[in-house]
Amino acid sequence: MAIALYARKSVERENSISCETQLAYCRAMLKPDEHGETIYEFVDNGFSGGNLEREGFREMMSLVERGGISKVIVYRLDRISRSLVDFVSIMERFKKYNVAFISSQESFDTSTSYGEMITKLLMVFAEFERQSIIERVTHAYQARSDQGIFMGGRRPYGFTFGETVIHGVKTKKFLPLADEISHVRYIFERYAVPNVTLRRLLEDLLQNGILLTEGKWSTAKLSAMIRNPIYVRADNAIYEYFRRKGTKIVSDIYEFDGTRGIQLYGKTKHDSASEDWSDMKIVVMSHEGVIDSELWLSCQKKVAKNKKINNSMSNTTSWLGGRIVCQKCGRTMTVTKGGKRADGSQTRYFSCTGKQNRICEGIGITLYADSLEDMIYTLISEKFRSMKTCSGKAESENTGKINALKNKKIEIEDSQNKLVELMMSSAIETDMMKLLNERAKALAEEKRRITEQIAFIANTERDAQNTIDLSEEWKTADYEKKKSVVQLLIDKIYIAEDGAVEVVWNI
């Protein structure tokens, strides 16, 4: 492989050493047996040491990464780079490709143990410098965002950017776009209507010709817009809303005057469904809000409720929702409301979603929700009784097991005490002491194993008792409790074409 000589000079100065002289010093560092090697010379004249975008340097590093260089020689370390972080990064690349690095003026040679030690020390300082830069940037970001200074990013729909000065810093502020702001108000007001879902809202926008200038509307984009506090007029109600969530509120409460909007900062992957918002902060901004707090908060409650319903796969008209499946087509069956009974109560029945989509003929009978719920309620009660009976038998057997294990544990402890007495005797020889130590270790391990067995059986009994307690709660369970129990116990409930029911249990 070849040897590379590298020279760099920032500007031509009378007292500055020339690249030719630097290369001469580099040649002087060649060993006698290296003069027959292929020598490449790379020169960057008129380039700063803080800039890695140099033609000669790039050519040299390209050859290094192709495995064509075994050694790099420079006049001084700063000829490679004046940045410690960049220099260490270059050293790491040299090490990766087994390239030795030598500086003629500083006796720096990475092929020696001394040079390797210096490189490692430089890496420590470089990492410290990296972390210091990150901390400075983070603190600067936090300080600027706390002051309401624009921190970059795409413009939110409804606003454009305008120039402003905040605390002596030139920055940007949000200015309303009349047409888009009217669309924003329509979106919030329309979504606040009880029976309007995100899907229905999306259809309304498309029907009314309300389009995005970039991309297309989607339920995800609408949800993100509705949850964005940048549109709300921040008042005391908004202050309390975020305070209850644990959000860090940077601005003083008196800045929540019911006129200005707010900006939410924090983790990119923040879970908006979480009750804990301590990883986020809000700042009152300089732009005017466009949505009243009452309207904005009502939309927050609705979008949070919809997300909860979607995530739980629940059906608020039956605690069996999400578990009923048409055996014929494999599609989920959902509750459909029928007419009123003579007593005024609502009739409900399960219908196949495949039939609704015209890909299945459905079952051949009317499957009333009340009847199926009564049947499954009885089956779950029987399941609990059988589990309770099995738990009772297991408890009787476990009592004997635990008693035997505890007796064995006492026996081991007695043996351990006798060993201690023997080991304390001065008459014990070295070989015997070694055997006693090994026996002591074996007893300690056996005791540990028995202790774990006792704990395992005890935990099993606690689980059995929890099952008994759950079976008692089932007798008076409300809607949410029934739904939770069904999700725990049942995987699927298949309905055959003739109305036959097959329950697939999880346990």
Side-chain angles (χ1 to χ4, degrees):
M1 288 191 292
I3 296 174
L5 312 181
Y6 179 77
R8 178 190 64 79
K9 186 178 180 183
S10 296
V11 290
E12 293 291 344
R13 290 179 182 173
E14 185 177 348
N15 297 327
S16 179
I17 187 168
S18 67
C19 289
E20 289 75 14
T21 304
Q22 291 180 40
L23 291 174
Y25 276 103
C26 292
R27 294 188 197 99
M29 297 301 295
L30 293 171
K31 297 177 182 179
D33 59 346
E34 292 177 337
H35 286 280
E37 299 281 348
T38 301
I39 307 296
Y40 291 112
E41 295 181 356
F42 300 93
V43 176
D44 284 315
N45 219 332
F47 285 90
S48 167
N51 176 22
L52 294 182
E53 295 301 316
R54 315 172 220 142
E55 184 178 354
F57 177 77
R58 287 203 308 269
E59 290 180 5
M60 181 182 71
M61 294 307 295
S62 177
L63 193 56
V64 165
E65 292 172 358
R66 292 200 301 270
I69 299 292
S70 62
K71 182 182 291 186
V72 172
I73 305 175
V74 298
Y75 171 67
R76 288 173 56 93
L77 297 178
D78 61 5
R79 297 304 87 193
I80 283 287
S81 176
R82 290 188 180 276
S83 165
L84 178 59
V85 174
D86 289 341
F87 178 77
V88 170
S89 176
I90 295 166
M91 291 300 102
E92 289 174 340
R93 289 163 71 184
F94 284 165
K95 186 174 182 180
K96 178 180 178 180
Y97 295 100
N98 298 315
V99 176
F101 176 73
I102 297 173
S103 170
S104 68
Q105 298 300 297
E106 288 129 340
S107 300
F108 187 88
D109 184 349
T110 61
S111 64
T112 65
S113 58
Y114 178 78
E116 179 72 13
M117 180 192 71
I118 296 298
T119 300
K120 290 179 179 178
L121 287 174
L122 290 174
M123 288 181 179
V124 171
F125 285 109
E127 179 61 26
F128 174 75
E129 183 175 343
R130 287 192 193 100
Q131 294 300 323
S132 298
I133 292 171
I134 292 172
E135 288 181 5
R136 289 196 299 271
V137 171
T138 301
H139 291 159
Y141 180 91
Q142 292 176 346
R144 288 170 69 89
S145 62
D146 287 354
Q147 295 173 349
I149 295 172
F150 177 69
M151 302 308 298
R154 294 182 178 181
R155 73 173 186 90
Y157 185 81
F159 295 101
T160 187
F161 294 124
E163 301 295 329
T164 188
V165 176
I166 298 177
H167 300 292
V169 177
K170 290 184 178 180
T171 184
K172 296 178 180 179
K173 68 177 294 185
F174 299 122
L175 298 177
L177 292 172
D179 290 343
E180 290 189 2
I181 285 297
S182 67
H183 297 160
V184 170
R185 291 194 179 98
Y186 173 81
I187 287 170
F188 277 91
E189 291 170 357
R190 184 67 179 138
Y191 185 67
V193 176
N195 66 335
V196 175
T197 62
L198 288 172
R199 176 62 58 183
R200 175 71 179 277
L201 176 59
L202 175 62
E203 293 172 355
D204 287 351
L205 292 175
L206 297 178
Q207 289 174 2
N208 291 318
I210 300 175
L211 305 175
L212 286 172
T213 53
E214 296 180 4
K216 296 180 179 180
W217 287 114
S218 66
T219 54
K221 287 181 179 179
L222 289 172
S223 177
M225 174 185 287
I226 289 167
R227 287 184 284 108
N228 194 343
I230 205 161
Y231 299 107
V232 69
R233 297 189 181 102
D235 58 10
N236 182 261
I238 299 299
Y239 181 92
E240 286 297 316
Y241 172 80
F242 284 103
R243 186 183 65 80
R244 286 193 300 270
K245 286 181 171 292
T247 315
K248 179 184 177 183
I249 303 176
V250 176
S251 305
D252 190 275
I253 188 172
Y254 296 107
E255 295 186 59
F256 289 76
D257 56 7
T259 60
R260 292 186 289 170
I262 55 180
Q263 182 83 51
L264 184 67
Y265 295 99
K267 292 184 177 179
T268 305
K269 296 184 178 180
H270 169 75
D271 181 9
S272 60
S274 171
E275 293 298 323
D276 182 12
W277 282 44
S278 58
D279 57 337
M280 306 295 286
K281 70 177 181 181
I282 58 169
V283 180
V284 176
M285 303 295 283
S286 59
H287 71 276
E288 291 187 5
V290 294
I291 303 297
D292 289 338
S293 63
E294 184 178 357
L295 175 59
W296 190 83
L297 289 172
S298 68
C299 289
Q300 303 317 298
K301 291 179 182 178
K302 186 174 180 180
V303 76
K305 180 181 178 183
N306 287 345
K307 187 167 185 178
K308 181 179 179 181
I309 290 172
N310 291 335
N311 288 343
S312 65
M313 295 297 291
S314 65
N315 185 329
T316 55
T317 57
S318 175
W319 43 271
L320 296 177
R323 289 294 185 269
I324 314 299
V325 177
C326 173
Q327 196 173 60
K328 191 171 184 178
C329 69
R331 295 298 185 96
T332 303
M333 299 182 72
T334 58
V335 172
T336 301
K337 293 181 180 180
K340 296 282 187 178
R341 297 189 180 93
D343 61 358
S345 61
Q346 181 75 58
T347 59
R348 301 169 300 137
Y349 57 93
F350 281 96
S351 60
C352 175
T353 54
K355 184 176 181 180
Q356 296 170 8
N357 294 322
R358 298 180 180 179
I359 61 174
C360 178
E361 294 178 0
I363 62 175
I365 66 166
T366 300
L367 183 62
Y368 288 102
D370 292 342
S371 299
L372 185 59
E373 287 171 351
D374 290 343
M375 178 189 295
I376 300 302
Y377 181 91
T378 302
L379 290 175
I380 290 176
S381 298
E382 293 173 356
K383 188 74 171 177
F384 277 132
R385 280 196 293 272
S386 65
M387 292 168 68
K388 184 175 179 180
T389 301
C390 293
S391 298
K393 292 179 180 178
E395 182 179 0
S396 178
E397 295 173 358
N398 289 339
T399 300
K401 290 180 181 178
I402 290 177
N403 188 68
L405 287 169
K406 286 183 176 179
N407 288 340
K408 182 64 176 176
K409 186 177 179 182
I410 291 172
E411 185 181 344
I412 291 173
E413 289 172 349
D414 290 339
S415 298
Q416 287 177 318
N417 291 332
K418 290 177 182 178
L419 273 177
V420 170
E421 291 176 3
L422 282 172
M423 294 169 75
M424 294 295 291
S425 173
S426 58
I428 298 297
E429 295 179 355
T430 303
D431 290 341
M432 181 60 72
M433 181 64 75
K434 190 179 296 183
L435 291 173
L436 292 176
N437 279 327
E438 291 176 357
R439 176 58 179 162
K441 290 180 181 178
L443 288 171
E445 175 61 25
E446 189 174 5
K447 182 181 177 181
R448 182 194 62 77
R449 181 177 56 78
I450 290 174
T451 302
E452 289 179 350
Q453 284 181 307
I454 293 172
F456 176 80
I457 295 172
N459 288 335
T460 302
E461 287 190 356
R462 279 195 293 272
D463 291 341
Q465 184 59 47
N466 290 337
T467 300
I468 295 171
D469 294 341
L470 188 60
S471 68
E472 293 299 317
E473 291 181 15
W474 177 246
K475 296 176 182 177
T476 57
D478 59 12
Y479 174 89
E480 291 297 330
K481 176 67 73 174
K482 289 177 181 176
K483 182 173 65 175
S484 299
V485 170
V486 167
Q487 291 177 348
L488 174 67
L489 295 183
I490 297 176
D491 179 36
K492 292 286 186 297
I493 302 172
Y494 288 101
I495 309 298
E497 189 173 4
D498 62 355
V501 177
E502 179 189 356
V503 179
V504 179
W505 301 92
N506 286 326
I507 58 177

